[in-house]
Amino acid sequence: MITELPRLLGLLPPGTLPAGRLVRPEDGGPPVYWLSDEPVEPALWARLRSRHDDSGLWPLLLTGLPRDERRPWADGEVFPAHMTAPDLHDAAELLARWWADRAEADEEEDAGAEADRVAATAPFGRRWPGLAEPGDPAGSAGHVAEPCPGNLLWAPARLGLVPASRGADTLALTGWSGPVNYVSDAGMLSAVVRSWEDRFGAQVVGLGFDTLHLAVAAPPTSPEHARRVAAEHFAFCPDNIEQGAGALTAYAGQIIGSDTWSFWWD
């Protein structure tokens, strides 16, 4: 579908987009996304998102590395040829494996490190609790009819457009490598985000150098449900807990009713 990008852009009504250009990936091949020359107002994301079914283009708000704003998006520091298709992966299997890799004991860790790890994953410990039940949009205190991208980003963002049937797939299609120190294949991350799209009404709004921002229509609204969702977040992005809330139960309290989920990888 990437080869369709110039054609799809040409079908947009005149004046829809600000000045911008096609960006080719560092590892070669055709352009994989269109990028605006300058930051845009978040409202433009919402307008283009509402047209996705007709345009086939998923909008992204893209931010760069704070000390070098051109990386990765303006420089094309992306590697789509290195990513697998999300269809090849099962979200439940991936999360269970990542949980085990992070939660199980390391032969070389000392007693203090083991205690910190067990505390971080309480009340589940080493046991993977399985996928959380879907959220209920009608009963969610944090439910929003349309996401508000301005609530997700704290820095000016350029607009990106990616030919994709769903937002989750943009992680793999763009060749984004932000979490490379944890997971090098964005196709795996896309598979998990697809599951969140289906169960929680998650929508990919923005990507940074190593950050991911989602708007969520059906977040957890009870402590128990939030703990199960938090376990998925821990498996997906341990830094959210280990370098953030410190413990899974504390993190769960942060996401109850929250219509935004953000992830950051060291």
Side-chain angles (χ1 to χ4, degrees), residues 44 58 104 113 137 179 215 226 249 263:
L44 180 57
W58 189 275
E104 290 183 356
T249 50
F263 302 92

Side-chain angles (χ1 to χ4, degrees), residues 60-97:
L60 295 170
L61 293 175
L62 302 175
T63 55
L65 192 66
R67 60 181 178 273
D68 187 356
E69 188 275 333
R70 293 189 58 82
R71 298 179 62 195
W73 307 110
D75 282 349
E77 191 182 338
V78 292
F79 309 93
H82 295 180
M83 309 304 173
T84 58
D87 290 338
L88 299 176
H89 307 287
D90 179 86
E93 292 177 359
L94 288 171
L95 290 169
R97 187 172 80 220

Side-chain angles (χ1 to χ4, degrees), residues 45 58-64 73 147-157 167-168 170-171 176 193 196-197 202-216 236 240 259-265:
W45 181 91
W58 189 275
L60 295 170
L61 293 175
L62 302 175
T63 55
W73 307 110
C148 182
N151 293 340
L152 278 162
L153 304 177
W154 298 274
T170 61
L171 281 60
W176 178 58
V193 178
W196 291 344
E197 286 177 338
Q203 298 187 55
V204 178
V205 174
L207 289 171
F209 184 82
D210 53 11
T211 56
L212 166 64
H213 304 283
L214 308 177
V216 184
F236 183 78
N240 268 28
D259 58 12
T260 61
W261 293 350
S262 290
F263 302 92
W264 166 77
W265 290 265

Side-chain angles (χ1 to χ4, degrees), residues 157-193:
R158 299 197 198 194
L159 175 69
L161 290 174
V162 184
S165 59
R166 55 196 298 175
D169 292 0
T170 61
L171 281 60
L173 290 172
T174 60
W176 178 58
S177 62
V180 67
N181 291 334
Y182 183 61
V183 176
S184 61
D185 182 0
M188 295 181 176
L189 300 174
S190 287
V192 174
V193 178

